[in-house]
Amino acid sequence: MDIRVSGHQVETGEALQIHANERLTAIIEKYFNRAISSQVTFGRAPAGAFRCDIVMHAMQNLVLKGTGIAHDAHVALDQAAEKIDKQLRRYKRRLTDRSEQAAHAMAMADGSIVEEAAYTIFEEAPSEQEEDIDTDAPVVIAETRVDIPEATVSDAVMMLDLRNTTALFFKNAGTGRHNMVYRRGDGSIGWVEPA
């Protein structure tokens, strides 16, 4: 795996670069045979602390992000790497669960397993009072070009978690239309599908 360590107004010594290489290599070897690349960036945070941002391209269309802030650069790296490790662990668990669900569905199609459906009714979340909205348009800070993945809604939610973002725009594999999933203020996931 190609691991690049850089610093913004921070000197990255040889010990820090070796620590980053060893930590990320150990994480990848734990879950995959290899990954594409990783970018580790150190910078200054408020109150004299260090900030470490890791962007890892684990495989095609799988980008993981982790951030750590601490008064020691090594500790900040460990915090960010732990977030990457947690995301990969969740991803691997979801892949395992999905393969188990597919095997279960095949067994049900054979007729070897007969299961009754259960219904779950979720309570509607209490509505929050609307806050005053500022009518001034926000400043556009950055514009980037990204590939829009084609995925099912459940895969899009998984990508939302793995990319550690608040929203994901994707092409729905079932309908062929563009959809969006986003993390709501109460922690639940919202799904927008055009009419």
Side-chain angles (χ1 to χ4, degrees), residues 138-161:
V139 176
V140 175
I141 296 173
E143 229 177 84
T144 58
R145 292 184 179 269
V146 295
D147 293 326
I148 298 173
E150 183 169 347
T152 62
V153 177
S154 62
D155 287 345
V157 171
M158 181 174 59
M159 283 189 267
L160 180 77
D161 287 340

Side-chain angles (χ1 to χ4, degrees), residues 42-156:
F42 291 94
R44 291 283 180 192
F50 290 95
R51 177 185 173 103
C52 177
D53 293 307
I54 300 175
V55 177
M56 179 183 288
H57 297 271
M59 51 196 293
Q60 191 170 2
N61 295 329
L62 178 59
V63 179
L64 307 169
K65 297 178 183 178
T67 301
I69 297 176
H71 287 288
D72 181 26
H74 291 271
V75 175
L77 170 69
D78 288 337
Q79 288 176 356
E82 183 60 36
K83 290 177 183 176
I84 296 289
D85 186 273
K86 185 176 181 179
Q87 291 170 6
L88 278 173
R89 187 171 49 248
R90 285 180 177 171
Y91 177 71
K92 234 5 193 182
R93 185 173 53 234
R94 286 180 180 164
L95 287 179
T96 304
D97 291 347
R98 180 175 294 158
S99 66
E100 289 173 1
Q101 289 173 357
H104 184 72
M106 293 288 286
M108 286 188 64
D110 292 354
S112 58
I113 296 177
V114 177
E115 188 173 308
E116 293 183 19
Y119 293 94
T120 304
I121 300 173
F122 297 98
E123 289 184 28
E124 185 178 34
S127 62
E128 299 177 8
Q129 295 178 351
E130 293 186 20
E131 299 177 7
D132 294 332
I133 299 173
D134 188 14
T135 57
D136 295 336
V139 176
V140 175
I141 296 173
E143 229 177 84
T144 58
R145 292 184 179 269
V146 295
D147 293 326
I148 298 173
E150 183 169 347
T152 62
V153 177
S154 62
D155 287 345

